[in-house]
Coordinates of all heavy atoms in Angstrom, one line a residue:
L1415 N 3.6 -54.2 -43.6 CA 3.3 -55.4 -42.9 C 2.2 -56.1 -43.5 O 2.2 -57.4 -43.6 CB 3.0 -55.0 -41.4 CG 2.7 -56.2 -40.5 CD1 3.8 -57.2 -40.4 CD2 2.3 -55.7 -39.1
F1416 N 1.1 -55.4 -43.9 CA 0.0 -56.0 -44.5 C 0.4 -56.7 -45.8 O 0.0 -57.9 -46.1 CB -1.1 -55.0 -44.9 CG -2.2 -55.5 -45.7 CD1 -3.3 -56.2 -45.2 CD2 -2.2 -55.3 -47.1 CE1 -4.3 -56.7 -46.0 CE2 -3.2 -55.8 -47.9 CZ -4.3 -56.5 -47.3
V1417 N 1.2 -56.1 -46.7 CA 1.6 -56.7 -47.9 C 2.4 -57.9 -47.7 O 2.2 -59.0 -48.3 CB 2.4 -55.7 -48.8 CG1 3.0 -56.3 -50.0 CG2 1.4 -54.5 -49.2
A1418 N 3.3 -57.9 -46.7 CA 4.2 -59.0 -46.4 C 3.4 -60.2 -45.9 O 3.6 -61.3 -46.3 CB 5.2 -58.6 -45.4
V1419 N 2.4 -59.9 -45.0 CA 1.6 -61.0 -44.4 C 0.7 -61.6 -45.5 O 0.6 -62.8 -45.6 CB 0.8 -60.5 -43.2 CG1 -0.2 -61.6 -42.7 CG2 1.8 -60.2 -42.0
A1420 N 0.0 -60.7 -46.2 CA -0.9 -61.2 -47.3 C -0.2 -62.0 -48.3 O -0.7 -63.0 -48.8 CB -1.6 -60.0 -47.9
T1421 N 1.0 -61.6 -48.7 CA 1.8 -62.3 -49.7 C 2.2 -63.7 -49.1 O 2.1 -64.7 -49.9 CB 3.1 -61.5 -50.0 OG1 2.8 -60.3 -50.6 CG2 4.0 -62.3 -51.0
A1422 N 2.6 -63.8 -47.9 CA 3.0 -65.1 -47.3 C 1.8 -66.0 -47.2 O 1.9 -67.2 -47.6 CB 3.6 -64.9 -45.9
L1423 N 0.6 -65.5 -46.8 CA -0.6 -66.3 -46.7 C -1.0 -66.8 -48.1 O -1.5 -67.9 -48.2 CB -1.7 -65.5 -46.0 CG -1.5 -65.2 -44.5 CD1 -2.6 -64.3 -44.0 CD2 -1.5 -66.5 -43.7
S1424 N -0.9 -65.9 -49.1 CA -1.3 -66.3 -50.4 C -0.4 -67.4 -51.0 O -0.9 -68.4 -51.6 CB -1.2 -65.1 -51.4 OG -1.7 -65.4 -52.7
L1425 N 0.9 -67.3 -50.8 CA 1.8 -68.3 -51.3 C 1.6 -69.6 -50.5 O 1.7 -70.7 -51.1 CB 3.2 -67.9 -51.1 CG 3.7 -66.7 -52.0 CD1 5.1 -66.2 -51.6 CD2 3.7 -67.0 -53.4
A1426 N 1.3 -69.6 -49.2 CA 1.2 -70.8 -48.4 C 0.0 -71.6 -48.7 O -0.1 -72.8 -48.3 CB 1.2 -70.4 -46.9
R1427 N -1.0 -71.1 -49.4 CA -2.3 -71.8 -49.6 C -2.3 -72.8 -50.7 O -3.2 -73.6 -50.9 CB -3.4 -70.8 -49.9 CG -3.3 -70.1 -51.2 CD -4.3 -68.9 -51.3 NE -5.6 -69.3 -51.1 CZ -6.7 -68.4 -51.2 NH1 -6.5 -67.2 -51.6 NH2 -7.9 -68.8 -51.0
V1428 N -1.2 -72.8 -51.5 CA -1.2 -73.7 -52.7 C -0.6 -75.1 -52.3 O 0.4 -75.2 -51.7 CB -0.3 -73.1 -53.8 CG1 -0.2 -74.1 -55.0 CG2 -0.8 -71.8 -54.2
G1429 N -1.4 -76.2 -52.6 CA -0.9 -77.5 -52.3 C 0.0 -78.1 -53.4 O 0.5 -77.3 -54.2
G1430 N 0.2 -79.4 -53.4 CA 1.1 -80.0 -54.4 C 2.5 -79.6 -54.1 O 3.0 -79.5 -53.0
P1431 N 3.2 -79.2 -55.2 CA 4.6 -78.8 -55.0 C 4.7 -77.4 -54.4 O 5.8 -77.0 -54.0 CB 5.1 -78.7 -56.5 CG 3.9 -78.5 -57.3 CD 2.8 -79.3 -56.6
G1432 N 3.6 -76.7 -54.3 CA 3.6 -75.4 -53.7 C 3.7 -74.2 -54.7 O 4.2 -74.5 -55.8
A1433 N 3.4 -73.0 -54.3 CA 3.4 -71.9 -55.2 C 4.8 -71.6 -55.7 O 5.0 -71.2 -56.9 CB 2.8 -70.7 -54.6
L1434 N 5.8 -71.7 -54.8 CA 7.1 -71.3 -55.2 C 7.9 -72.4 -56.0 O 9.0 -72.1 -56.5 CB 7.9 -71.1 -53.9 CG 7.4 -69.9 -53.0 CD1 8.2 -69.8 -51.7 CD2 7.5 -68.6 -53.8
D1435 N 7.3 -73.5 -56.2 CA 7.9 -74.6 -57.0 C 7.0 -75.0 -58.2 O 7.1 -76.1 -58.7 CB 8.3 -75.8 -56.1 CG 9.2 -76.7 -56.9 OD1 10.0 -76.3 -57.8 OD2 9.2 -77.9 -56.6
S1436 N 6.1 -74.2 -58.5 CA 5.2 -74.5 -59.7 C 5.0 -73.2 -60.5 O 5.1 -72.1 -60.0 CB 3.9 -75.1 -59.2 OG 3.2 -74.1 -58.4
M1437 N 4.6 -73.4 -61.7 CA 4.4 -72.3 -62.6 C 3.0 -72.4 -63.2 O 2.6 -73.4 -63.7 CB 5.4 -72.2 -63.7 CG 5.4 -71.0 -64.6 SD 6.8 -71.0 -65.9 CE 8.2 -70.9 -64.8
W1438 N 2.3 -71.3 -63.1 CA 0.9 -71.3 -63.7 C 1.0 -71.5 -65.2 O 1.9 -71.0 -65.9 CB 0.2 -70.0 -63.4 CG -1.2 -69.9 -64.0 CD1 -1.6 -69.1 -65.0 CD2 -2.3 -70.7 -63.7 NE1 -2.9 -69.3 -65.4 CE2 -3.3 -70.3 -64.5 CE3 -2.5 -71.7 -62.8 CZ2 -4.6 -70.9 -64.5 CZ3 -3.8 -72.3 -62.7 CH2 -4.8 -71.9 -63.6
A1439 N 0.0 -72.2 -65.7 CA 0.0 -72.6 -67.1 C 0.5 -71.6 -68.1 O 1.5 -71.8 -68.8 CB -1.4 -73.1 -67.5
E1440 N -0.2 -70.5 -68.3 CA 0.2 -69.5 -69.3 C 1.4 -68.7 -69.0 O 2.1 -68.2 -69.9 CB -1.0 -68.5 -69.5 CG -2.2 -69.2 -70.1 CD -3.4 -68.2 -70.1 OE1 -4.0 -67.9 -69.0 OE2 -3.8 -67.7 -71.2
D1441 N 1.8 -68.6 -67.7 CA 3.0 -67.9 -67.4 C 4.2 -68.5 -68.1 O 5.2 -67.8 -68.5 CB 3.3 -67.9 -65.9 CG 2.5 -66.9 -65.2 OD1 1.8 -66.0 -65.9 OD2 2.5 -66.8 -63.9
G1442 N 4.2 -69.8 -68.3 CA 5.3 -70.5 -68.9 C 5.4 -70.4 -70.4 O 6.2 -69.7 -71.0
P1443 N 4.5 -71.1 -71.2 CA 4.6 -71.1 -72.6 C 4.3 -69.8 -73.3 O 4.9 -69.5 -74.3 CB 3.7 -72.2 -73.1 CG 2.7 -72.3 -71.9 CD 3.5 -72.0 -70.7
V1444 N 3.4 -69.0 -72.8 CA 2.9 -67.8 -73.4 C 3.9 -66.6 -73.2 O 4.2 -65.8 -74.1 CB 1.5 -67.5 -73.0 CG1 1.0 -66.2 -73.7 CG2 0.5 -68.6 -73.4
F1445 N 4.4 -66.5 -71.9 CA 5.1 -65.3 -71.6 C 6.6 -65.6 -71.3 O 7.5 -64.8 -71.6 CB 4.5 -64.7 -70.3 CG 3.1 -64.2 -70.6 CD1 2.0 -64.9 -70.2 CD2 2.9 -63.0 -71.3 CE1 0.7 -64.4 -70.4 CE2 1.6 -62.5 -71.5 CZ 0.5 -63.3 -71.1
Y1446 N 6.9 -66.7 -70.6 CA 8.3 -67.0 -70.3 C 9.1 -67.5 -71.4 O 10.2 -67.1 -71.7 CB 8.3 -67.9 -69.1 CG 9.7 -68.1 -68.5 CD1 10.5 -67.0 -68.1 CD2 10.3 -69.4 -68.3 CE1 11.7 -67.2 -67.5 CE2 11.5 -69.6 -67.8 CZ 12.3 -68.5 -67.4 OH 13.5 -68.6 -66.8
Q1447 N 8.6 -68.5 -72.1 CA 9.3 -69.1 -73.2 C 9.8 -68.1 -74.3 O 11.0 -68.2 -74.7 CB 8.5 -70.2 -73.9 CG 9.2 -70.9 -75.0 CD 8.4 -72.1 -75.6 OE1 8.1 -73.0 -74.8 NE2 8.2 -72.1 -76.9
P1448 N 9.0 -67.1 -74.7 CA 9.5 -66.2 -75.7 C 10.7 -65.4 -75.3 O 11.5 -64.9 -76.1 CB 8.3 -65.3 -76.0 CG 7.1 -66.1 -75.6 CD 7.6 -66.9 -74.5
T1449 N 11.0 -65.3 -74.0 CA 12.1 -64.5 -73.5 C 13.4 -65.2 -73.8 O 14.5 -64.5 -73.8 CB 12.0 -64.3 -72.0 OG1 12.1 -65.5 -71.3 CG2 10.7 -63.6 -71.6
F1450 N 13.4 -66.5 -74.2 CA 14.6 -67.2 -74.6 C 15.1 -66.7 -75.9 O 16.3 -66.8 -76.3 CB 14.4 -68.7 -74.6 CG 14.0 -69.3 -73.3 CD1 13.0 -70.3 -73.3 CD2 14.6 -68.9 -72.1 CE1 12.6 -70.8 -72.0 CE2 14.2 -69.4 -70.9 CZ 13.2 -70.4 -70.9
H1451 N 14.2 -66.1 -76.7 CA 14.6 -65.9 -78.1 C 14.4 -64.4 -78.6 O 14.8 -64.0 -79.6 CB 13.7 -66.8 -79.1 CG 13.7 -68.2 -78.7 ND1 14.8 -69.0 -78.7 CD2 12.7 -69.0 -78.2 CE1 14.5 -70.2 -78.3 NE2 13.2 -70.2 -77.9
Q1452 N 13.8 -63.6 -77.7 CA 13.6 -62.2 -78.1 C 13.9 -61.3 -76.9 O 13.8 -61.7 -75.8 CB 12.1 -62.0 -78.6 CG 11.1 -62.3 -77.6 CD 9.7 -62.2 -78.1 OE1 8.7 -62.2 -77.3 NE2 9.5 -62.1 -79.4
G1453 N 14.2 -60.1 -77.2 CA 14.6 -59.1 -76.1 C 13.3 -58.7 -75.3 O 12.2 -58.9 -75.7
L1454 N 13.6 -58.1 -74.2 CA 12.5 -57.6 -73.3 C 11.6 -56.7 -74.0 O 10.4 -56.8 -74.0 CB 13.1 -56.9 -72.1 CG 12.2 -56.2 -71.2 CD1 11.1 -57.2 -70.6 CD2 12.9 -55.5 -70.0
F1455 N 12.1 -55.7 -74.7 CA 11.2 -54.6 -75.3 C 10.5 -55.1 -76.5 O 9.3 -54.7 -76.7 CB 12.1 -53.4 -75.6 CG 12.7 -52.7 -74.4 CD1 14.0 -52.9 -74.1 CD2 11.9 -52.0 -73.6 CE1 14.5 -52.3 -73.0 CE2 12.4 -51.4 -72.5 CZ 13.7 -51.5 -72.2
S1456 N 11.1 -56.0 -77.3 CA 10.3 -56.6 -78.4 C 9.2 -57.4 -78.0 O 8.1 -57.5 -78.6 CB 11.2 -57.3 -79.4 OG 11.8 -58.4 -78.7
G1457 N 9.4 -58.1 -76.9 CA 8.3 -59.0 -76.3 C 7.2 -58.2 -75.8 O 6.0 -58.7 -75.8
L1458 N 7.4 -57.0 -75.3 CA 6.3 -56.1 -74.8 C 5.3 -55.8 -75.9 O 4.1 -55.5 -75.5 CB 6.9 -54.8 -74.2 CG 7.7 -54.9 -73.0 CD1 8.3 -53.6 -72.6 CD2 6.9 -55.5 -71.8
L1459 N 5.7 -55.9 -77.1 CA 4.7 -55.5 -78.2 C 4.1 -56.7 -78.9 O 3.6 -56.6 -80.0 CB 5.5 -54.6 -79.2 CG 6.2 -53.4 -78.7 CD1 6.9 -52.6 -79.8 CD2 5.2 -52.5 -78.0
T1460 N 4.2 -57.9 -78.3 CA 3.7 -59.1 -78.8 C 2.3 -59.3 -78.3 O 2.1 -59.5 -77.1 CB 4.5 -60.3 -78.5 OG1 5.9 -60.1 -78.9 CG2 4.0 -61.6 -79.1
P1461 N 1.3 -59.3 -79.2 CA -0.1 -59.5 -78.7 C -0.4 -60.9 -78.3 O 0.3 -61.9 -78.7 CB -1.0 -59.2 -79.9 CG 0.0 -58.5 -80.9 CD 1.3 -59.0 -80.6
N1462 N -1.4 -61.1 -77.4 CA -1.9 -62.4 -77.0 C -3.4 -62.4 -76.9 O -3.9 -61.5 -76.3 CB -1.3 -62.8 -75.7 CG -1.7 -64.2 -75.2 OD1 -1.7 -65.1 -76.0 ND2 -2.2 -64.3 -74.0
N1463 N -4.1 -63.3 -77.6 CA -5.5 -63.3 -77.6 C -6.1 -62.0 -78.2 O -7.2 -61.5 -77.9 CB -6.1 -63.5 -76.2 CG -5.9 -64.9 -75.8 OD1 -5.8 -65.8 -76.5 ND2 -5.9 -65.1 -74.4
G1464 N -5.3 -61.3 -79.1 CA -5.8 -60.2 -79.8 C -5.5 -58.9 -79.2 O -5.8 -57.8 -79.7
Y1465 N -4.8 -58.8 -78.1 CA -4.4 -57.6 -77.4 C -3.1 -57.7 -76.6 O -2.6 -58.8 -76.4 CB -5.5 -57.1 -76.5 CG -5.9 -58.1 -75.4 CD1 -5.3 -58.1 -74.2 CD2 -6.9 -59.0 -75.6 CE1 -5.6 -59.0 -73.2 CE2 -7.3 -59.9 -74.6 CZ -6.6 -59.8 -73.4 OH -7.0 -60.7 -72.4
L1466 N -2.5 -56.6 -76.3 CA -1.3 -56.6 -75.5 C -1.6 -56.9 -74.1 O -2.6 -56.5 -73.5 CB -0.5 -55.3 -75.6 CG -0.1 -54.8 -77.0 CD1 0.7 -53.5 -76.9 CD2 0.8 -55.9 -77.6
E1467 N -0.7 -57.7 -73.4 CA -0.8 -57.9 -72.0 C 0.5 -57.3 -71.4 O 1.5 -58.1 -71.1 CB -1.0 -59.4 -71.7 CG -2.3 -59.9 -72.2 CD -2.6 -61.3 -71.7 OE1 -2.5 -61.6 -70.5 OE2 -3.0 -62.1 -72.6
F1468 N 0.5 -56.0 -71.3 CA 1.8 -55.3 -71.0 C 2.4 -55.7 -69.7 O 3.6 -56.0 -69.6 CB 1.5 -53.8 -71.0 CG 2.7 -52.9 -70.7 CD1 3.6 -52.7 -71.7 CD2 2.8 -52.4 -69.4 CE1 4.8 -51.9 -71.4 CE2 3.9 -51.6 -69.1 CZ 4.9 -51.3 -70.1
L1469 N 1.7 -55.7 -68.6 CA 2.2 -55.9 -67.3 C 2.8 -57.3 -67.2 O 4.0 -57.5 -66.7 CB 1.2 -55.6 -66.2 CG 1.8 -55.8 -64.7 CD1 2.9 -54.8 -64.5 CD2 0.6 -55.5 -63.7
P1470 N 2.1 -58.4 -67.6 CA 2.7 -59.7 -67.5 C 4.0 -59.8 -68.4 O 5.0 -60.4 -67.9 CB 1.6 -60.6 -68.0 CG 0.3 -59.9 -67.7 CD 0.7 -58.5 -67.9
R1471 N 4.0 -59.2 -69.6 CA 5.1 -59.3 -70.4 C 6.3 -58.6 -69.7 O 7.4 -59.1 -69.7 CB 4.9 -58.6 -71.7 CG 3.8 -59.3 -72.6 CD 4.4 -60.4 -73.4 NE 3.5 -60.9 -74.4 CZ 3.6 -62.1 -74.9 NH1 4.6 -62.9 -74.7 NH2 2.6 -62.5 -75.8
L1472 N 6.1 -57.4 -69.1 CA 7.1 -56.7 -68.5 C 7.7 -57.4 -67.3 O 8.9 -57.5 -67.2 CB 6.6 -55.3 -68.1 CG 7.6 -54.4 -67.3 CD1 8.8 -54.1 -68.1 CD2 6.8 -53.1 -66.8
L1473 N 6.8 -57.9 -66.4 CA 7.3 -58.6 -65.2 C 8.1 -59.8 -65.5 O 9.1 -60.1 -65.0 CB 6.1 -58.9 -64.3 CG 5.4 -57.6 -63.7 CD1 4.2 -58.1 -62.9 CD2 6.3 -56.8 -62.8
I1474 N 7.5 -60.7 -66.4 CA 8.2 -61.9 -66.8 C 9.5 -61.6 -67.6 O 10.4 -62.4 -67.5 CB 7.2 -62.9 -67.5 CG1 6.1 -63.3 -66.5 CG2 8.0 -64.1 -68.0 CD1 5.2 -64.3 -67.0
G1475 N 9.5 -60.6 -68.4 CA 10.7 -60.2 -69.0 C 11.8 -59.9 -68.1 O 13.0 -60.2 -68.3
L1476 N 11.5 -59.2 -67.0 CA 12.5 -58.9 -66.0 C 12.9 -60.2 -65.2 O 14.1 -60.3 -64.9 CB 11.9 -57.9 -65.0 CG 11.6 -56.5 -65.6 CD1 10.9 -55.6 -64.5 CD2 12.9 -55.8 -66.1
I1477 N 11.9 -61.0 -65.0 CA 12.2 -62.3 -64.3 C 13.2 -63.2 -65.1 O 14.0 -63.9 -64.6 CB 10.9 -63.1 -64.0 CG1 10.2 -62.3 -62.9 CG2 11.2 -64.5 -63.6 CD1 8.8 -62.9 -62.6
S1478 N 13.1 -63.0 -66.5 CA 13.9 -63.8 -67.3 C 15.4 -63.6 -67.1 O 16.3 -64.4 -67.6 CB 13.6 -63.6 -68.8 OG 13.9 -62.3 -69.2
F1479 N 15.8 -62.5 -66.5 CA 17.2 -62.2 -66.2 C 17.7 -63.0 -65.0 O 18.9 -63.0 -64.8 CB 17.4 -60.7 -66.0 CG 17.2 -59.8 -67.2 CD1 16.1 -59.1 -67.4 CD2 18.2 -59.7 -68.1 CE1 15.9 -58.3 -68.5 CE2 18.1 -59.0 -69.3 CZ 16.9 -58.2 -69.5
L1480 N 16.8 -63.6 -64.3 CA 17.2 -64.4 -63.1 C 17.6 -65.8 -63.6 O 17.2 -66.2 -64.7 CB 16.1 -64.5 -62.1 CG 15.6 -63.2 -61.5 CD1 14.4 -63.4 -60.6 CD2 16.7 -62.5 -60.7
P1481 N 18.3 -66.6 -62.8 CA 18.6 -68.0 -63.2 C 17.2 -68.7 -63.4 O 16.2 -68.5 -62.7 CB 19.3 -68.5 -62.0 CG 19.9 -67.3 -61.4 CD 19.0 -66.2 -61.6
I1482 N 17.2 -69.7 -64.3 CA 16.0 -70.4 -64.7 C 15.4 -71.1 -63.5 O 14.2 -71.3 -63.4 CB 16.2 -71.3 -65.9 CG1 14.9 -71.8 -66.4 CG2 17.2 -72.4 -65.6 CD1 15.0 -72.5 -67.7
S1483 N 16.3 -71.6 -62.6 CA 15.8 -72.3 -61.4 C 15.0 -71.4 -60.5 O 14.2 -71.9 -59.7 CB 17.0 -72.9 -60.7 OG 17.9 -71.9 -60.2
W1484 N 15.1 -70.1 -60.6 CA 14.4 -69.2 -59.8 C 13.1 -68.7 -60.4 O 12.3 -68.0 -59.8 CB 15.2 -67.9 -59.5 CG 16.5 -68.1 -58.8 CD1 17.1 -69.3 -58.4 CD2 17.4 -67.1 -58.3 NE1 18.2 -69.1 -57.7 CE2 18.5 -67.8 -57.6 CE3 17.3 -65.7 -58.3 CZ2 19.5 -67.1 -57.0 CZ3 18.4 -65.0 -57.7 CH2 19.4 -65.7 -57.1
A1485 N 12.8 -69.1 -61.6 CA 11.7 -68.5 -62.4 C 10.4 -68.8 -61.8 O 9.6 -67.8 -61.6 CB 11.7 -69.1 -63.8
A1486 N 10.1 -70.0 -61.4 CA 8.7 -70.3 -60.8 C 8.5 -69.5 -59.5 O 7.4 -68.9 -59.3 CB 8.6 -71.8 -60.6
A1487 N 9.5 -69.5 -58.6 CA 9.4 -68.8 -57.4 C 9.2 -67.3 -57.6 O 8.4 -66.7 -56.9 CB 10.6 -69.1 -56.5
A1488 N 10.0 -66.8 -58.5 CA 9.9 -65.4 -58.8 C 8.5 -65.0 -59.3 O 8.0 -63.9 -58.9 CB 11.0 -65.0 -59.8
M1489 N 7.9 -65.8 -60.2 CA 6.6 -65.5 -60.7 C 5.6 -65.5 -59.7 O 4.7 -64.7 -59.6 CB 6.3 -66.4 -61.9 CG 7.1 -66.2 -63.1 SD 6.6 -67.4 -64.4 CE 8.1 -67.2 -65.5
A1490 N 5.6 -66.6 -58.8 CA 4.6 -66.7 -57.7 C 4.8 -65.5 -56.8 O 3.8 -64.9 -56.3 CB 4.8 -68.0 -57.0
L1491 N 6.0 -65.2 -56.4 CA 6.2 -64.1 -55.4 C 5.8 -62.8 -56.0 O 5.2 -62.0 -55.3 CB 7.7 -64.1 -55.0 CG 8.1 -63.1 -54.0 CD1 7.4 -63.3 -52.7 CD2 9.6 -63.1 -53.7
T1492 N 6.1 -62.6 -57.3 CA 5.7 -61.3 -57.9 C 4.2 -61.2 -58.0 O 3.6 -60.1 -57.7 CB 6.3 -61.3 -59.4 OG1 7.7 -61.3 -59.3 CG2 5.8 -60.0 -60.1
G1493 N 3.5 -62.3 -58.4 CA 2.0 -62.2 -58.4 C 1.4 -62.0 -57.1 O 0.5 -61.1 -56.9
A1494 N 1.9 -62.7 -56.1 CA 1.3 -62.5 -54.7 C 1.6 -61.1 -54.2 O 0.7 -60.5 -53.5 CB 1.9 -63.6 -53.8
T1495 N 2.8 -60.6 -54.4 CA 3.1 -59.2 -53.9 C 2.3 -58.2 -54.6 O 1.8 -57.2 -53.9 CB 4.6 -59.0 -54.1 OG1 5.4 -60.0 -53.4 CG2 5.0 -57.6 -53.5
F1496 N 2.2 -58.3 -55.9 CA 1.4 -57.3 -56.6 C -0.1 -57.3 -56.2 O -0.7 -56.2 -56.0 CB 1.5 -57.5 -58.1 CG 2.5 -56.6 -58.8 CD1 3.8 -56.8 -58.8 CD2 2.0 -55.5 -59.5 CE1 4.7 -55.9 -59.4 CE2 2.9 -54.6 -60.1 CZ 4.3 -54.8 -60.1
S1497 N -0.6 -58.5 -56.1 CA -2.0 -58.5 -55.7 C -2.3 -58.0 -54.3 O -3.3 -57.3 -54.0 CB -2.5 -60.0 -55.8 OG -1.8 -60.8 -54.9

Side-chain angles (χ1 to χ4, degrees):
L1415 179 62
F1416 170 81
V1417 172
V1419 172
T1421 299
L1423 290 175
S1424 182
L1425 293 171
R1427 69 191 304 186
V1428 180
L1434 296 175
D1435 192 28
S1436 61
M1437 190 178 293
W1438 177 250
E1440 291 173 289
D1441 279 354
V1444 178
F1445 297 100
Y1446 188 54
Q1447 180 173 306
T1449 63
F1450 300 139
H1451 312 292
Q1452 59 186 193
L1454 171 60
F1455 294 104
S1456 61
L1458 293 177
L1459 304 180
T1460 303
N1462 181 47
N1463 288 334
Y1465 56 89
L1466 298 182
E1467 296 188 49
F1468 177 78
L1469 185 59
R1471 295 277 188 197
L1472 175 62
L1473 294 176
I1474 294 183
L1476 295 174
I1477 289 172
S1478 68
F1479 290 102
L1480 298 174
I1482 191 171
S1483 59
W1484 296 9
M1489 290 181 197
L1491 184 60
T1492 299
T1495 303
F1496 258 79
S1497 60

